């Protein structure tokens, strides 16, 4: 069984993709890296925004690594570590 799950974007990622999207997730969830990959496969703009090395993920407001599991009904978000316009 899958559930349509809201994925939030913040900062520079939201500027490129909008504030949110939806993705079908299995009830048991997926690792963040797989969620990122599935979203990036949608189109070039999404891939550019999410595959940047400074884009992090959070699950339930906690910054997590790529191996962390996210499940439907959890808050899943992607955001850049540095604001748009600032050099690294």
């Amino acid at each position: 069984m899958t559930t349509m799950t809201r994925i939030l974007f913040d900062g520079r990622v939201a500027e490129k993709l909008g504030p949110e999207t939806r993705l079908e997730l299995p009830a048991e969830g997926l690792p963040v890296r797989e969620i990122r990959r599935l979203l990036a496969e949608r189109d070039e703009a999404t891939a550019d925004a999410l595959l940047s090395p400074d884009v992090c993920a959070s699950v339930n407001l906690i910054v997590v690594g790529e191996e962390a599991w996210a499940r439907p009904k959890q808050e899943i978000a992607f955001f850049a570590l540095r604001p748009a316009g600032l050099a690294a």
Side-chain angles (χ1 to χ4, degrees):
M1 184 170 107
T2 63
T3 301
M4 189 61 74
T5 303
R6 189 170 80 157
I7 310 292
L8 303 175
F9 302 127
D10 194 30
R12 190 176 72 243
V13 178
E15 289 173 8
K16 292 180 179 181
L17 303 178
E20 66 181 62
T21 192
R22 296 196 178 270
L23 181 68
E24 290 273 344
L25 288 183
E28 66 275 9
L30 291 172
V32 167
R33 72 174 144 58
E34 183 66 9
I35 294 170
R36 187 188 303 259
R37 184 190 67 77
L38 289 170
L39 291 169
E41 286 180 350
R42 289 182 171 177
D43 57 59
E44 190 174 329
T46 304
D48 287 345
L50 292 181
L51 298 179
S52 176
D54 66 335
V55 173
C56 297
S58 65
V59 176
N60 289 340
L61 301 175
I62 298 171
V63 177
V64 296
E66 294 295 294
E67 300 304 316
W69 278 75
R71 294 170 179 79
K73 299 187 182 179
Q74 290 184 307
E75 180 183 284
I76 303 164
F78 290 93
F79 59 95
L81 282 176
R82 57 187 161 86
L86 293 182

